[in-house]
């Protein structure tokens, strides 16, 4: 009788352990799809500035860039399994648990992701209690590798307001151009978008989107500055990436 009672207790313990393991498995198997996140939140689409480029050093690395407006939280990276997925179907996107790092000292953020396959990517963050989603970004690091160059003309048409001009590179399907002027410590001074292949610091006549938060300072002569440009296609892939150091000559 005592032995039967002991066997019953052991069976109970084993049963509890099995149930506990099953519960842990269910906890681990959380739904990491973008669809699950969207279903649980109020969303806004087309309200996140984001794009992606290849890497100058590794053909299997992509870099996704995002502008996190002040006050945004929980920036996430989602991708499809391949480029044949329906870019507008959120069930196709799964979260990749990589943390964003600073770009231009945190004014922008970036995700470095190693992948041999081209995919669709969506970047999300929370702002004012709403889930904000970027437009789908088409990775093209295999079919259209980003061209890295320093080919930009800098003209000091006015001493503290240089004029920048550039041309398309290998790929000509750029829909918009993102310009950043920064100082030697990589602090972003101005961030602007134009449809035209030219920009004058800090003249906004042809600027169609401006992420500069404060009026930038006048540039000093004989001081090094940096000009960075991204030529971006309609599906948010960076075809052209220009970086050039310059200084104003009195």
């Amino acid at each position: 009788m005592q032995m039967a009672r002991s066997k019953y207790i052991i069976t109970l313990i084993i049963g509890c352990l099995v149930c506990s393991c099953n519960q842990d498995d269910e906890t681990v198997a959380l739904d990491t799809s973008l669809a699950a996140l969207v279903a649980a939140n109020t969303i806004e689409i087309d309200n996140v500035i984001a794009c992606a480029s290849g890497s100058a050093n590794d053909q299997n690395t992509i870099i996704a860039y995002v502008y996190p407006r002040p006050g945004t939280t929980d920036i996430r990276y989602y991708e499809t399994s391949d480029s044949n997925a329906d870019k507008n179907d959120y069930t196709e996107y799964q979260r990749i648990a990589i943390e964003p790092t600073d770009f231009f000292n945190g004014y922008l953020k970036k995700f470095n992701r190693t992948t041999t396959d081209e995919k669709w990517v969506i970047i999300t963050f929370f702002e004012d209690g709403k889930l904000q989603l970027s437009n789908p970004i088409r990775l093209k690091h295999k079919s259209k590798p980003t061209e890295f160059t320093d080919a930009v003309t800098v003209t000091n048409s006015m001493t503290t307001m240089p004029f920048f001009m550039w041309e398309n590179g290998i790929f000509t399907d750029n829909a918009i151009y993102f310009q950043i002027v920064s100082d030697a410590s990589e602090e972003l001074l101005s961030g602007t978008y134009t449809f035209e292949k030219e920009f004058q610091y800090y003249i906004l006549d042809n600027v169609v989107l401006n992420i500069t938060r404060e009026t930038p300072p006048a540039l000093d002569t004989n001081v090094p500055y940096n000009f960075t440009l991204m030529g971006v296609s309609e599906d948010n892939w960076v075809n052209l990436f220009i970086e050039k150091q310059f200084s104003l000559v009195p």
Side-chain angles (χ1 to χ4, degrees), residues 7-221:
K7 287 182 178 179
Y8 175 74
I9 292 173
I10 292 171
T11 302
L12 262 180
I13 291 172
I14 292 173
C16 289
L17 288 173
V18 170
C19 288
S20 176
C21 289
N22 287 341
Q23 288 174 356
D24 288 343
D25 289 344
E26 289 174 4
T27 301
V28 170
L30 294 175
D31 190 344
T32 59
S33 70
L34 180 55
L37 186 67
V38 166
N41 292 279
T42 301
I43 70 167
E44 287 187 356
I45 61 175
D46 193 24
N47 198 26
V48 174
I49 299 172
C51 61
S53 77
S55 166
N57 304 313
D58 182 3
Q59 63 178 355
N60 292 324
T61 295
I62 67 92
I63 306 168
Y65 308 90
V66 59
Y67 170 57
R69 294 182 292 272
T72 61
T73 59
D74 196 10
I75 307 171
R76 299 185 183 188
Y77 175 102
Y78 288 83
E79 69 178 21
T80 62
S81 59
D82 56 47
S83 60
N84 294 320
D86 181 352
K87 66 178 181 178
N88 297 313
D89 182 355
Y90 297 147
T91 64
E92 297 275 8
Y93 292 83
Q94 292 292 324
R95 184 183 182 186
I96 305 300
I98 49 179
E99 291 297 320
T101 57
D102 287 348
F103 191 45
F104 291 102
N105 296 330
Y107 203 104
L108 304 174
K109 296 285 186 179
K110 63 180 180 179
F111 292 91
N112 286 62
R113 169 73 167 146
T114 299
T115 174
T116 57
D117 299 320
E118 296 189 345
K119 309 181 180 193
W120 289 97
V121 168
I122 287 179
I123 307 296
T124 70
F125 55 66
F126 285 90
E127 181 182 36
D128 297 330
K130 294 181 180 180
L131 177 65
Q132 309 286 342
L133 287 80
S134 74
N135 285 328
I137 303 166
R138 173 66 155 83
L139 303 186
K140 298 179 183 177
H141 54 306
K142 299 297 184 178
S143 57
K144 285 190 173 183
T146 302
E147 179 182 2
F148 292 87
T149 180
D150 64 354
V152 58
T153 301
V154 185
T155 304
N156 298 346
S157 57
M158 295 177 65
T159 305
T160 60
M161 302 169 73
F163 195 82
F164 304 92
M165 296 183 65
W166 59 91
E167 295 295 334
N168 283 325
I170 299 170
F171 304 111
T172 59
D173 59 326
N174 296 312
I176 199 166
Y177 303 91
F178 178 35
Q179 310 93 29
I180 297 170
V181 176
S182 58
D183 63 19
S185 63
E186 296 191 347
E187 288 294 330
L188 186 146
L189 303 179
S190 76
T192 51
Y193 286 80
T194 66
F195 292 137
E196 299 174 356
K197 296 188 285 292
E198 58 184 47
F199 168 70
Q200 186 173 6
Y201 181 92
Y202 177 67
I203 303 297
L204 304 180
D205 291 352
N206 68 334
V207 170
V208 295
L209 180 61
N210 187 6
I211 66 168
T212 313
R213 295 172 191 159
E214 300 176 0
T215 302
L219 303 184
D220 296 321
T221 57

Side-chain angles (χ1 to χ4, degrees), residues 213-232:
R213 295 172 191 159
E214 300 176 0
T215 302
L219 303 184
D220 296 321
T221 57
N222 298 319
V223 172
Y225 294 98
N226 298 299
F227 178 77
T228 304
L229 178 127
M230 300 183 195
V232 187

